[in-house]
Amino acid sequence: MPHHSLHGGDPSVLRRLNSAATLRALRDGGEATLSELARRVGLSRPTTEGVLGELIDRGLAAEDAPRPGGGLGRPARRYRFRAEAGHALGVDVDAHRVRLLLADLSGEVVGGHRAGLPGGAEPGERIAAVRAAVRACLAGAGVDRRSLRAVAVGTPGVVAPDGTITSCTVVPGWEGVHLARELGRSFSCPVLVENDANLAAMAERWRGAARDADDVVCVYAALHTGMGAIIGGRLHRGRWGAAGEIGMLDELGLRDTAASLVPDAGSGPLLVEEAERVLDAAGRGSAEARDRVERLAARMARGVAAMALALDPETIVVGGPLAGAGAPLVAALRERVAPLSLSPVRIEGSELGDESVALGAVRLALDRIDEDLFRLAPPSDPGEEPRARPPASA
């Protein structure tokens, strides 16, 4: 097969390059006239017009109604990116509940849903409940399932590159489940599965407390404490998806986080709720509750500092259900981790509440959609849209 340079000979590669550049300029730069768009991309007007025609045929661009006024003659036609041409679905699932966020192609959240899950359910029953929640979310937003171009799911545990959960202590029976394949049966688009703390880190960098940072550690404090890391602007998964699982070492103090605040409580969601109540009381000034939070922070600081010393991040974001409630845990960790660090590091509380994992899942799904929208390789079938491909795993 002859090799073609992008500028040398293959007109189909050049056309796809022009199409990708024009689409990105329209999406990221906003509505534009033909002349403005041609200037943005550095193409001739006729080439830009031809590319726009193709994008309109694919449903990814539209001609807007002319603006009123503006002097004599016919107003210039204006074009926009059709963010409504497809959707990304983010799913956050654990043992007891599922949260969903639905976004258009520009990343604007257009729908959401949350539901409780039966705690002791078998994996099949839990997956069926997630499917039902997806149906409710789509119906509530008035979005057709065929509009989904990628779905991403966040879950506790270690997730292998193929979307199999290889280790999980939080969700009963979850270990060994090929979640990407099981959920993929419900969709005609790629389905990706990722660890919840990793997705929380992505959300914090996208729309949270680490928007200006390329090196980020997210401390996700819940039943246990998980860690997600972004290095050089990219999520760091490790070879088998187990990066950040330093909580496996008991001496680093990241296991049984909720239980250490309420040692006499039960398990599951009640345990996390009880821990949140202790944090609330600490925020309101209870001396006993504050003492418990200080002890927890002293315990967790070893693990958080170990991660900081390994990666030298610019920002550490503390998120998860135990990071809210007036943020006493965040303040206590800030005080305890700084003396153990060799470099100055910002420690911030999450701004995203309980939506961080689902929002990170939306970001992961949008990244996958971008790969399809802006790829230079042709679809396997002429005219085939990316979402028509069989399900893919992470």
Side-chain angles (χ1 to χ4, degrees):
M1 177 181 285
H3 172 75
H4 296 290
S5 77
L6 286 179
H7 302 289
D10 186 347
S12 62
V13 170
L14 192 58
R15 190 168 64 245
R16 289 192 295 273
L17 190 66
N18 290 341
S19 177
T22 303
L23 182 62
R24 196 180 288 279
L26 202 56
R27 186 193 68 175
D28 298 346
E31 185 187 76
T33 65
L34 180 59
S35 298
E36 288 166 351
L37 196 55
R39 273 199 303 274
R40 268 186 216 166
V41 188
L43 298 174
S44 69
R45 273 178 57 98
T47 300
T48 307
E49 193 165 25
V51 169
L52 273 170
E54 291 173 15
L55 293 175
I56 289 168
D57 288 345
R58 290 171 62 194
L60 293 170
E63 185 181 334
D64 268 0
R67 291 178 179 170
L72 299 171
R74 188 174 169 215
R77 290 177 294 172
R78 302 188 69 81
Y79 299 91
R80 68 174 180 88
F81 174 65
R82 289 190 72 245
E84 68 273 23
H87 292 84
L89 180 63
V91 182
D92 170 18
V93 60
D94 67 16
H96 301 279
R97 52 108 187 102
V98 59
R99 293 185 181 91
L100 302 97
L101 289 176
L102 184 68
D104 65 17
L105 295 183
S106 68
E108 183 179 346
V109 173
V110 296
H113 184 75
R114 57 185 66 205
L117 298 178
E122 292 294 308
E125 191 182 344
R126 191 174 296 111
I127 288 166
V130 171
R131 286 195 178 108
V134 169
R135 287 194 295 273
C137 181
L138 293 173
V143 169
D144 191 297
R145 180 179 297 260
R146 288 170 299 183
S147 181
L148 293 176
R149 294 197 175 206
V151 176
V153 184
T155 174
V158 176
V159 181
D162 71 347
T164 299
I165 298 166
T166 56
S167 169
C168 185
T169 57
V170 175
V171 185
W174 224 214
E175 211 162 289
V177 173
H178 195 318
L179 193 55
R181 187 173 62 211
E182 293 297 325
L183 277 174
R185 294 181 179 134
S186 298
F187 303 98
S188 60
C189 64
V191 174
L192 306 109
V193 180
E194 186 55 82
N195 167 266
D196 53 2
N198 285 353
L199 292 181
M202 288 183 70
E204 294 297 343
R205 185 169 183 266
W206 182 32
R207 290 194 171 163
R211 281 190 291 267
D212 56 346
D214 281 343
D215 297 287
V216 181
V217 166
C218 181
V219 178
Y220 193 77
L223 205 58
H224 306 293
T225 296
M227 298 271 201
I230 289 172
I231 301 172
R234 295 176 64 87
L235 179 65
H236 182 69
R237 295 180 173 90
R239 181 65 187 88
W240 307 109
E245 295 290 331
I246 63 172
M248 292 294 292
L249 300 173
D250 283 342
E251 56 269 36
L252 291 183
L254 299 175
R255 296 186 66 75
D256 302 312
T257 306
S260 68
L261 279 175
V262 275
D264 49 348
S267 62
L270 291 177
L271 178 53
V272 173
E273 285 170 22
E274 285 291 329
E276 287 179 285
R277 277 195 272 276
V278 172
L279 289 159
D280 266 328
R284 290 195 308 270
S286 159
E288 185 196 347
R290 277 188 175 174
D291 191 46
R292 288 192 197 184
V293 173
E294 286 295 333
R295 283 201 301 271
L296 173 61
R299 183 172 173 256
M300 288 175 66
R302 282 170 290 170
V304 176
M307 195 76 168
L309 289 166
L311 299 181
D312 191 23
E314 182 183 346
T315 304
I316 296 172
V317 183
V318 185
L322 304 187
L329 180 59
V330 179
L333 278 173
R334 193 178 282 134
E335 196 174 300
R336 296 276 184 169
V337 172
L340 302 176
S341 303
L342 289 175
S343 310
V345 59
R346 282 192 303 142
I347 300 179
E348 306 286 353
S350 174
E351 303 168 0
L352 302 176
D354 64 359
E355 292 192 334
S356 65
V357 176
L359 197 61
V362 166
R363 182 65 262 168
L364 185 66
L366 287 169
D367 287 348
R368 175 54 194 264
I369 293 167
D370 278 2
E371 284 177 27
D372 285 336
L373 285 181
F374 300 117
R375 69 183 172 190
L376 296 182
S380 56
D381 175 36
E384 176 189 316
E385 278 298 305
R387 62 190 166 86
R389 300 192 350 239
S393 60

